[in-house]
């Protein structure tokens, strides 16, 4: 009798798995690719898609973990991940992901982890396939499922930029406010997915799954709950186009991090090979900028790879070359802390001055031009700027903070009240390896990272002067009109989009503070 019980249980299990489940999902279909979805009406369907297998074009997760290791853990942690990658590539997929998670996250403070919100979205967006994005845009409700990437890495990208309603990812274990570098067990992740999809089937009845042959989710969860399943092949991804910036559901205006290049395996190798030379190059360029006259320093810097292009409009050229001109107010958009210095290079003038609301003490000491810290008191700051103009030329950045993307932040109107004539300056910067700005890192290193780039390039264009708002302005509106006019002129010259966003908006999003650097 006892020998018959296991046989009976096995028969019941087979009956449930192959017969009852068949009648529960009678319309289930397997499709080789999602191309047929382009012509389908999906507005009443719930689309469940795998992030790694169906949304991102890249087949490797290494660049994203390298970004976390470099931006959240530092150079040594990223180098450790790099030298371990040959061993990781020999492991199973699941084990390799676990090792990369451990190296990237172990010991990182949870409250200080901003890479998922401030750094990774830019690189994820540049890896989204246009064809799959168009399919997802047709869906009534979208549910993203991540099999390998921790939820903290993809949540900001999916919710804030792709406007995905629901995300099912793997949580990270935390002890004492620090990540252990271990993800929660997959069984817990599967149970959350199971419960979520059951609710969706009860509410909508139409659930479509999109995954790939390389992910494990389709083997059980997708096949159990989705009426139709579409599989993405590697050949499909290679034929996809990249989602253009003009079609981002939400424009990417702010992002942080030092790396300007996606750290693929080959790019990471190049970065570490360039590292020792980068330190020497930055030190030499800094010495030349601080200690050698402009007449000689400009060609030397150009020979070292630092390029400067200067364009001057006709009326501005007449104003700048006038023998009788006094102190000039230059209002430029803000790309790096070196903007005033490069304006001085363009004018071949070392006596130029600048003002700033917050600057690290180290940057203030190293600055080769006079830098005056403002107090955020309009009366006192206005008087300080007028006094500096009597001493010579003055450069101001009315945006109040840097912006990397082709957008202009709102211009503060204070600069319009201190001079009758304002020369707008349109500035653009090109880098290949490192960004010379940061919101949550050490701002004292900003100029050094810019100088560490192999070929940092500045383009400075002096636009035609505009009249200030120093006269009678009973309504107080003229200063805003002039500030907006200067912003518009610079935006047109650079083909940048003007916005009403401010310094506070940037730092609240990227660093969780108002962006004030305390003087130390």
């Amino acid at each position: 009798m006892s020998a018959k019980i296991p046989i009976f249980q096995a028969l019941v299990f087979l009956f449930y798995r192959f017969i009852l489940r068949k009648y529960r999902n009678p319309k289930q279909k397997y499709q080789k690719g999602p191309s047929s979805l382009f012509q389908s009406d999906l507005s009443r369907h719930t689309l469940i898609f795998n992030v790694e297998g169906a949304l991102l074009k890249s087949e490797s997760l290494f660049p994203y973990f390298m970004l976390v290791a470099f931006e959240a853990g530092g150079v040594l942690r990223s180098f450790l991940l790099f030298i371990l990658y040959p061993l990781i590539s020999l492991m199973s997929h699941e084990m390799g992901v676990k090792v990369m998670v451990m190296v990237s996250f172990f010991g990182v403070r949870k409250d200080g982890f901003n890479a998922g919100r401030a750094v990774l979205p830019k690189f994820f967006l540049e890896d989204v396939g246009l064809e799959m994005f168009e399919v997802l845009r047709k869906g009534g409700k979208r549910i993203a499922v991540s099999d390998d990437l921790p939820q903290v890495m993809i949540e900001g990208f999916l919710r804030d930029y792709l406007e995905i309603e629901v995300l099912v990812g793997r949580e990270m274990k935390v002890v004492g406010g620090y990540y252990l570098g271990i993800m929660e067990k997959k069984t817990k992740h599967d149970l959350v997915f199971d419960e979520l999809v059951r609710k969706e089937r009860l509410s909508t009845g139409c659930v479509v799954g999109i995954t790939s042959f390389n992910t494990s989710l389709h083997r059980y969860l997708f096949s159990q709950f989705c009426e139709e399943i579409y599989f993405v092949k590697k050949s499909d991804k290679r034929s996809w186009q990249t989602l253009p910036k003009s079609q981002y559901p939400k424009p990417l205006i702010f992002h942080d991090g030092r790396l300007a290049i996606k750290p693929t395996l080959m790019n990471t190798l190049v970065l570490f090979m360039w590292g020792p030379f980068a330190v020497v190059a930055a030190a030499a360029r800094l010495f030349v900028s601080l200690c050698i006259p402009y007449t000689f320093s400009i060609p030397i810097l150009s020979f070292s790879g630092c390029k400067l292009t200067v364009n001057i409009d006709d009326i501005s050229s007449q104003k700048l070359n006038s023998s009788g001109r006094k102190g000039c107010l230059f209002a430029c958009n803000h790309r790096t802390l070196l903007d005033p210095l490069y304006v001085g290079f363009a004018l071949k003038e070392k006596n130029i001055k600048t003002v700033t609301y917050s600057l690290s003490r180290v940057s203030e000491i190293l600055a080769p031009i006079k830098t005056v810290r403002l107090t955020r008191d309009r009366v006192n700051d206005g008087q300080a700027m007028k006094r500096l103009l009597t001493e010579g030329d003055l450069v101001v950045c009315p945006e109040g903070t840097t912006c990397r993307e082709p957008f202009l932040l709102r211009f503060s109107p204070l600069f319009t009240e201190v001079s009758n004539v304002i020369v707008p300056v349109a500035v653009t910067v090109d880098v290949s390896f490192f960004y010379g700005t940061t919101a949550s890192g050490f701002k004292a290193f900003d100029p050094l990272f810019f100088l560490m780039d192999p070929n940092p390039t500045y383009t400075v264009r002096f636009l035609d002067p505009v009249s200030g708002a120093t006269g009678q302005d009973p309504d107080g509106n003229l200063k805003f009109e002039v500030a907006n006019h200067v912003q518009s002129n610079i935006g047109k010259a650079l083909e940048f989009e003007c916005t009403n966003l401010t310094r506070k908006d940037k730092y609240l999003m990227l660093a969780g503070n108002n962006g004030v650097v305390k003087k130390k």
Side-chain angles (χ1 to χ4, degrees), residues 279-352:
V279 175
V280 175
R285 290 165 175 172
L286 185 64
F287 173 80
V288 171
S289 301
L290 295 176
C291 304
I292 298 180
Y294 280 180
T295 305
F296 302 102
S297 63
I298 292 177
I300 294 175
L301 290 173
S302 179
F303 179 78
S304 74
C306 292
K307 298 179 181 179
L308 171 63
T309 302
V310 182
N311 297 311
I312 305 179
D313 289 0
D314 293 337
I315 301 177
S316 183
S317 177
Q318 296 175 11
K319 172 67 177 177
L320 297 178
N321 294 327
S322 174
S323 59
R325 79 174 180 92
K326 297 181 180 179
C328 236
L329 177 65
F330 298 95
C332 70
N333 60 305
H334 205 3
R335 306 304 278 181
T336 77
L337 291 176
L338 299 178
D339 293 338
L341 179 61
Y342 271 89
V343 172
F345 278 138
L347 296 171
K348 297 182 179 179
E349 180 183 343
K350 262 198 171 180
N351 293 326
I352 201 167

Side-chain angles (χ1 to χ4, degrees), residues 57-232:
K57 293 180 59 180
S58 176
E59 298 175 6
S60 173
L61 300 179
F62 171 79
Y64 305 112
F65 286 108
M66 176 56 69
L67 283 166
V68 173
F70 187 90
E71 304 293 355
V75 176
L76 293 180
R77 186 189 296 264
S78 60
F79 184 71
L80 176 61
L81 177 60
F82 174 69
I83 61 175
L84 287 177
Y85 189 72
L87 294 177
I88 293 173
S89 62
L90 298 176
M91 301 176 183
S92 66
H93 178 76
E94 177 69 17
M95 182 57 66
V97 170
K98 288 182 178 179
V99 173
M100 288 192 289
V101 170
M102 172 62 73
V103 175
S104 302
F105 280 92
F106 179 75
V108 174
R109 189 162 60 89
K110 179 181 179 181
D111 293 341
F113 182 78
N114 296 320
R117 183 181 69 252
V119 178
L120 290 171
K122 171 186 181 294
F123 296 93
F124 278 131
L125 285 168
E126 292 174 350
D127 198 20
V128 172
L130 173 61
E131 288 78 1
M132 183 54 60
F133 173 77
E134 291 178 344
V135 169
L136 296 178
R137 191 163 51 181
K138 295 180 178 181
K141 184 175 183 179
R142 289 82 52 83
I143 299 176
V145 181
S146 175
D147 203 16
D148 301 315
L149 292 170
Q151 182 160 329
V152 70
M153 288 178 63
I154 58 176
E155 188 168 16
F157 152 64
L158 291 171
R159 294 191 191 278
D160 296 342
Y161 290 95
L162 292 192
E163 300 177 348
I164 300 300
E165 293 86 350
V166 182
L167 167 63
V168 181
R170 299 179 69 178
E171 298 286 351
M172 297 286 297
K173 292 185 178 181
V174 179
V175 173
Y178 291 85
Y179 289 117
L180 283 182
I182 301 174
M183 291 187 290
E184 297 286 354
K185 291 183 178 180
K186 232 174 184 181
T187 52
K188 183 177 180 180
H189 170 261
D190 293 349
L191 287 173
V192 174
F193 180 83
D194 187 313
E195 182 180 357
L196 176 66
V197 180
R198 286 179 187 274
K199 292 180 180 178
E200 286 299 320
R201 288 205 64 186
L202 290 174
S203 61
T204 65
C206 303
V207 180
V208 176
I210 309 174
T211 183
S212 73
F213 288 103
N214 300 322
T215 56
S216 61
L217 280 174
H218 76 272
R219 298 172 188 169
Y220 172 69
L221 297 174
F222 273 55
S223 61
Q224 186 178 17
F225 298 111
C226 298
E227 293 180 358
E228 297 183 7
I229 304 174
Y230 294 82
F231 291 102
V232 177

Side-chain angles (χ1 to χ4, degrees), residues 5 21 56 140 148 163 235 280 371 382 398 447 458:
I5 294 178
R21 197 179 71 181
L56 302 178
D148 301 315
E163 300 177 348
S235 58
V280 175
T371 302
Y458 250 93

Side-chain angles (χ1 to χ4, degrees), residues 32-62:
K32 291 184 178 180
S35 57
S36 59
L37 287 173
F38 291 118
Q39 308 300 327
S40 305
D41 181 10
L42 303 173
S43 58
R44 296 183 180 180
H45 290 66
T46 296
L47 300 184
I48 302 177
F49 66 95
N50 182 263
V51 176
E52 304 92 334
L55 179 66
L56 302 178
K57 293 180 59 180
S58 176
E59 298 175 6
S60 173
L61 300 179
F62 171 79

